[in-house]
Amino acid sequence: MPELPEVETIRRHLAPRVEGRVLHRLEILDARWTAPEDPRAVEDQLAGRLIERLGRRGKYLVATFDGDAHLLMHLRMTGTLLYDPPLGNGPDAAPAHGRVRFTLDEGRRLVFIDPRRFGTGRLLHGDRQLEQYLAVRLGLDPLGPAFTAAALKAMARGRVAPVKAFLLDQRRIAGVGNIYADEALFRARIHPLRPAGRLSLGQWRDLRDAVVEALEAGLAAGGATIDDYRTPEGVQGSFQNEFLVHTRAGEACPECGRAIVKLRAAGRGTYVCERCQPRPRAPRRPVVSTWGS
Ligand SMILES: [Zn+2]
């Protein structure tokens, strides 16, 4: 699933090609993309408008049109946005799973490909509606100034859920997913099953820096391609070649050489070096008497 570095890579590639252009035609071929809103209504409201800006909030791409209309696109599991892909039936052709087509005024196309069809497009009007929509869905931007160890520690206070679940919760930190959570926890030498509320300020400092470093390394590599992610030119990212632990079960830890293990945390396959990231001590179990049972 594309995370912040993948979505931001797509944004950086597309922004110079779409900003300042008029959306000549919008074809939403799969009504599920805009559900419950009628796709024809979204097409009618956006066709002919100038694309002023392509931004990103968490894992959302936000296309802002003249008249203060915002189209929020989420790629979810398998969404990709391809710029002017070849059309037809070849292996690289777009229409097979094309759910949405944007035709720009100079004739170039942008195609939203999405084999599993979980991606979404949502039209919002005005900055206020946009901010209200995002406020309940997105927490701190990990590349922004408010992403501090103190803020994280305050948010985690009293939380007994594993720190990995905390990192994955978009309402707390916007943009971190399974890949970057594993990489950051390894860099910070924190076990993913540690209760978030038990981390010290020093550990939050390490983890905060590790999240930023992992995301920046991902950005520098053009994102990570494990399944479907591609840049708008159809090129794979290369960050998967630089993973320290993610997907590397059985391989040697780059720090200590012990085998990396895969376990389950926050319901997700999670990769850890249990020497560099020691397991939290199990809470002492109360002695249960079997008398009288
Ligand atoms: Zn290790």
Side-chain angles (χ1 to χ4, degrees):
M1 179 196 263
E3 306 180 27
L4 188 155
E6 289 75 37
V7 178
E8 179 62 17
T9 300
I10 291 170
R11 191 199 69 76
R12 289 179 186 180
H13 281 244
L14 284 181
R17 289 157 166 181
V18 303
E19 289 178 349
R21 302 238 70 105
V22 169
L23 176 60
H24 173 66
R25 190 166 175 215
L26 174 60
E27 299 159 277
I28 300 167
L29 309 169
D30 179 358
R32 206 166 111 179
W33 198 67
T34 55
E37 197 160 356
D38 176 10
R40 298 294 90 77
V42 175
E43 290 173 351
D44 291 347
Q45 289 175 80
L46 290 179
R49 290 208 202 213
L50 176 74
I51 306 167
E52 291 179 342
R53 188 165 174 267
L54 185 66
R56 181 192 54 78
R57 299 285 290 274
K59 300 180 194 171
Y60 289 96
L61 280 168
V62 186
T64 297
F65 293 80
D66 67 291
D68 244 1
H70 305 281
L71 179 66
L72 263 72
M73 292 174 277
H74 202 299
L75 304 169
R76 300 288 168 196
M77 302 285 289
T78 58
T80 319
L81 267 167
L82 294 182
Y83 182 75
D84 228 20
L87 299 175
N89 296 313
D92 298 326
H97 300 294
R99 299 180 67 200
V100 184
R101 285 202 291 256
F102 304 79
T103 307
L104 303 175
D105 51 359
E106 89 295 42
R108 304 271 191 177
R109 290 199 209 208
L110 196 62
V111 183
F112 193 105
I113 313 284
D114 189 9
R116 294 191 60 185
R117 299 175 58 215
F118 290 118
T120 55
R122 172 105 195 183
L123 177 61
L124 298 171
H125 294 282
D127 289 347
R128 202 179 138 157
Q129 207 180 71
L130 174 73
E131 294 307 327
Q132 282 175 347
Y133 185 85
L134 294 176
V136 293
R137 290 170 175 81
L138 300 182
L140 294 177
D141 179 339
L143 300 181
F147 188 65
T148 63
L152 291 168
K153 185 160 169 43
M155 276 198 293
R157 204 173 150 194
R159 311 289 309 178
V160 291
V163 61
K164 171 133 183 196
F166 182 90
L167 291 178
L168 293 180
D169 185 348
Q170 300 301 300
R171 292 164 301 173
R172 300 183 184 282
I173 305 168
V176 175
N178 206 30
I179 296 171
Y180 296 92
D182 281 2
E183 294 291 292
L185 286 163
F186 174 75
R187 284 168 183 262
R189 296 180 166 250
I190 294 169
H191 197 284
L193 292 176
R194 257 178 197 281
R198 303 254 177 84
L199 298 191
S200 67
L201 186 61
Q203 285 176 311
W204 280 117
R205 237 176 244 137
D206 291 345
L207 188 51
R208 183 250 166 231
D209 291 349
V211 166
V212 173
E213 282 165 18
L215 292 173
E216 284 179 348
L219 267 174
T225 298
I226 299 177
D227 298 311
D228 299 87
Y229 164 74
R230 302 282 184 280
T231 68
E233 295 77 29
V235 176
Q236 298 197 344
S238 67
F239 191 55
Q240 67 281 5
N241 304 322
E242 298 171 36
F243 287 166
L244 301 174
V245 290
H246 190 72
T247 69
R248 299 223 181 275
E251 294 180 38
C253 165
E255 287 294 319
C256 75
R258 182 163 169 172
I260 291 160
V261 295
K262 182 179 183 184
L263 48 84
R264 235 170 152 72
R268 310 290 299 273
T270 297
Y271 298 85
V272 199
C273 170
E274 291 200 300
R275 184 180 287 156
C276 294
Q277 300 162 268
R279 252 183 198 260
R281 257 172 278 146
R284 212 175 279 163
R285 290 210 185 95
V287 178
V288 179
S289 165
T290 53
W291 278 76
S293 64

